[in-house]
Amino acid sequence: MFAAATKSFVKQVGDGGRLVPVPSLSEADKYQPLSLVVKKKRCFLFPRYKFTSTPFTLKDILLGDREISAGISSYQLLNYEDESDVSLYGRRGNHIVNDVGINVTGSDSIAVKASFGVVTKHEVEVSTLLKEITTRKINFDHSLIRQSRSSRKAVLCVVMESIRTTRQCSLSVHAGIRGEAMRFHFMDEQNPKGRDKAIVFPAHTTIAFSVFELFIYLDGAFDLCVTSVSKGGFEREETATLALLYRLRNILFERNRRVMDAISRSQLYLDDLFSDYYDKPLSMTDVSLKEGTHIRVNLLNHNIPKGPCILCGMGNFKRETVYGCFQCSVDGQKYVRLHAVPCFDIWHKRMK
């Protein structure tokens, strides 16, 4: 009866499908802001999810004793009074009959009256909470975390808003024939045939709530899934391994791209040098033939092994040579290796 009334409330209020009706009056006090609930899919035949309350809040599963500083704001939402006629042959009518145990002999419908009065909405300050959780970690030793982590179908959620009554409220049903004037009796003594039932529940009873799912990483950090696109759950080791490999692949790809760009720029520079050398007459380029210039020597004759040319041997291909010059020195080395043609002449032309 209570569940039917809260479902009807959520259906009429709407809120884009985010609101969830409280399933039981006995659990209504467990759906307060920052409380934890477990979301599970019923089975593949039922697209809707089942929400189960827990005795814990978000603070209980976090490391440390620091309180959560995010505040809770509240305001009046609406004044809700509902009277509806429900067919006994529908799913909702059957649910009410089974829930209440009303006598439906000779009846084809049930009149339902819900008087909630003014209801208020209480919601967590999302921006403040998002800033705070960046420095908090999940306690994996908590019993709720261990049990939820072992089930791949369970998703932990945080209650972000709740809708509550502000006064004592009543729910009543009357079994009758469709078309008769609805009448309600709040006491069974006035209803000897048991065709009327009523319940009264206290003020500040939660009748609906909405949640954000939690996505928990292997290192204990967690995110609030503030949109319907993002999904909650636990990061699995295989997922984390794939993500790490993907990041490493991107890093290696970027590093190789930078190396290839550097090699390409170096090769273009050498190509420009060589083309500039070959485009000019020999008399202008072969400075080693001029009087007083440095002399090419075979370094092997001086027990110096073959090595990379200082000009063109530092690129992608380690081009080596046995020739060099003793009159030049680089980095404390009393000689430089240079190809006889054209590196020797290009090097000394640049030196001049």
Side-chain angles (χ1 to χ4, degrees), residues 108-206:
D108 65 356
S109 63
I110 300 175
V112 181
K113 181 178 181 179
S115 177
F116 291 159
V118 176
V119 296
T120 55
K121 187 174 183 179
H122 306 260
E123 55 186 3
V124 180
E125 296 176 356
V126 179
S127 58
T128 306
L129 182 60
L130 289 175
K131 291 178 182 178
E132 183 171 354
I133 65 175
T134 57
T135 60
R136 305 295 294 271
K137 298 286 187 179
I138 295 292
N139 179 13
F140 284 109
D141 293 329
H142 195 280
S143 58
L144 179 62
I145 298 298
R146 291 200 307 268
Q147 294 171 22
S148 302
R149 196 177 184 184
S150 63
S151 173
R152 289 183 175 267
K153 296 182 179 181
V155 177
L156 278 180
C157 304
V158 182
V159 176
M160 297 300 295
E161 62 180 15
S162 65
I163 297 178
R164 307 177 199 168
T165 61
T166 57
R167 61 170 175 81
Q168 182 174 281
C169 304
S170 63
L171 296 174
S172 55
V173 296
H174 165 69
I177 298 176
R178 189 180 296 271
E180 289 183 348
M182 290 192 297
R183 54 188 177 83
F184 300 96
H185 300 284
F186 287 89
M187 303 198 51
D188 286 341
E189 289 80 1
Q190 300 174 348
N191 181 38
K193 294 183 180 181
R195 299 176 66 84
D196 294 304
K197 291 287 182 178
I199 61 172
V200 177
F201 54 91
H204 310 299
T205 299
T206 302

Side-chain angles (χ1 to χ4, degrees), residues 320-335:
E320 297 182 336
T321 180
V322 298
Y323 293 97
C325 177
F326 277 114
Q327 284 83 10
C328 296
S329 61
V330 175
D331 297 332
Q333 189 172 269
K334 296 182 179 180
Y335 62 91

Side-chain angles (χ1 to χ4, degrees), residues 6 42 44 57 107 140 144 176-177 186 221 224 257 338 348:
T6 56
R42 299 176 184 271
F44 69 95
T57 64
S107 304
F140 284 109
L144 179 62
I177 298 176
F186 287 89
L224 281 179
R257 186 188 65 80
L338 291 162
H348 289 90

